[in-house]
Amino acid sequence: MSHHHDLPLNKDITARFVPKIVALMVYLGTLCFVFTLFMIHSSALWENQLTTPLSVEMPTLKTTEANSLPSRVLDLLNQTPGIQHAAVVPQKEMASLFHSLLGEDIDVDLFSLPIIIDVSLNNQEKVNFQRLEAGLKNISPHVHVTDHRGWQIQVSNLFHTSIFIAFFITILILFGALATATFATKTSLLIHGQVIEILSLVGATNSYIAKQFQVHAFKQALIASIIGSSFAFLTFFGLVILLEKAELPFVVHSSFFSQTLWVFGLAPVFMAFAMMLSVRIAVMKVLRS
Amino acid sequence: MSDFIAQLIGLGHQYKGVPEIFKDVTFGIEKGSFHFLTGPSGSGKSSLLKMLYLGLKPTWGSLQLFGEDTLKMQSRLVPLLRQKIGVIFQEFKLLEHLKVVDNVALPLRVRGVDAKQCRKQAQELLEWVGLGESLDVYPPSLSGGQKQRVAIARAVIAQPELLLADEPTGNVDDNMAMKLLYLFEELNKRGTAVIIATHNPRLIERSAHPHLTLTEGTILQLPKCTVLS
Ligand SMILES: Nc1ncnc2c1ncn2[C@@H]1O[C@H](COP(=O)(O)OP(=O)(O)OP(=O)(O)O)[C@@H](O)[C@H]1O
Ligand SMILES: [Mg+2]
């Protein structure tokens, strides 16, 4: 497309600071959005995998009475209304949990691992928690039942609030960038007032004039956003490597990282179109008055 | 459709804080007509032309342009009417950041003519006004007379239905003035109505067109070839 610059837009003062601000905003916005996705992803994982509403814990005692303890507890649990399923967590799984927390070198047998029963609920009936607790105490005073639902809801709420805030900040950054473009356009309109007047005297329509601003804004935003988004990608990549080196356990699937790449590719295109649109709106509004 | 391109009835204008410049201008511009517009400096010639190209709203009276009542029409029609008018501004109003050839082609470009065609036509016209060597020069490096010829080329390139020329020969020698007058007359023969505001008595003397004089706030229509200085 051969396009003519009837307005010297890339020579004015706004051309010096707008690309830098846009690049910075895209950098921050993209990272913030990826963080939002990360939170959504890990909260979904967490809610799917880590939710055991109730668990029952008992020590491994070396008595004959203790051997029948798990089965008596299981019987009681399975008869309790509102409980769908109760199962003993296998010792292997317990051991691997300990390994993941304390390292592979730990000899798990040194600990006397408790027996843990995971309980899943059926959602139609409510469990009478106090009666269950009393029933279990009746079997053995060493049996404890823990209700995880309270803190699980709290963690869940925390996840959702963080997701909301992160997304909200992303939107704020986007609006910040668009507002910058609008202010800069208004400044540009003032700077080029005389040129615009001459264009309109020779018969240029408002949309012809607006198009000059749009094309300029699109190119400017695209280049600036590609730079901003590239830096965001490098930062993201760096963080991933850093976190992996620190051997922190990600509460996230590794496919998340490859799935997020589209954000870095799409951000510049999205930004360029959004800037073009907001610049058009600003120009048309000023020219009409 | 009437045969008038413009009809001015009881037109007047007053800039804020100064006495009115004219108050009761009534005349019509017919299709294909040719008028000189004279009057002492400060009498309002430029202001009157400005109203005709919709750069200034009349304070009184009414102005019909191409059949539209300019005081009542929608603002989106303004560019469309302006596309039918070519203007040579007293102060040229060239775009300094554009090459001469691009300045001249501007009216074609805003009408959507493709770049190649624009350049070709602008080049032809610039050669005709003696600026064939300066196509790719920027206006600040031109003399007054050269700028004026660029402004003229820009005003006529789109073959407007109405040409408004404000002192179009103020900065050129007699020879060039006559050549430019010939250009305006050629355009007029092809159907363009022409109004030339000028102080140049020789221009008026050497052609047989009627002239309008702005005096005491109204227009006096003088018969052909009468020179009032
Ligand atoms: N923008 C303006 N604001 C206030 N007064 C103005 C403005 N433009 C023109 N005038 C006044 O209006 C009067 C007419 O000006 P105008 O330029 O129309 O005269 P003119 O006939 O073209 O003069 P000249 O022959 O010198 O070009 C002058 O007294 C001028 O001072
Ligand atoms: Mg004047």
Side-chain angles (χ1 to χ4, degrees), chain B residues 68-110:
Chain B
E68 300 285 345
D69 184 339
T70 58
L71 290 174
K72 287 181 191 148
M73 68 179 186
Q74 290 173 301
S75 61
R76 65 175 182 84
L77 286 178
V78 171
L80 302 181
L81 295 192
R82 279 180 179 159
Q83 287 183 5
K84 300 180 180 183
I85 304 172
V87 187
I88 301 157
F89 303 94
Q90 197 166 10
E91 66 281 21
F92 317 137
K93 293 193 192 284
L94 300 178
L95 297 180
E96 303 200 332
H97 65 280
L98 291 185
K99 289 173 183 172
V100 162
V101 67
D102 292 326
N103 262 286
V104 173
L106 197 59
L108 294 180
R109 228 167 30 242
V110 303

Side-chain angles (χ1 to χ4, degrees), chain B residues 41-42 44-47 49 90-91 166-167 197 199:
Chain B
S41 182
K45 301 181 294 296
S46 297
S47 302
L49 295 183
Q90 197 166 10
E91 66 281 21
D166 201 348
E167 289 294 349
H199 287 295

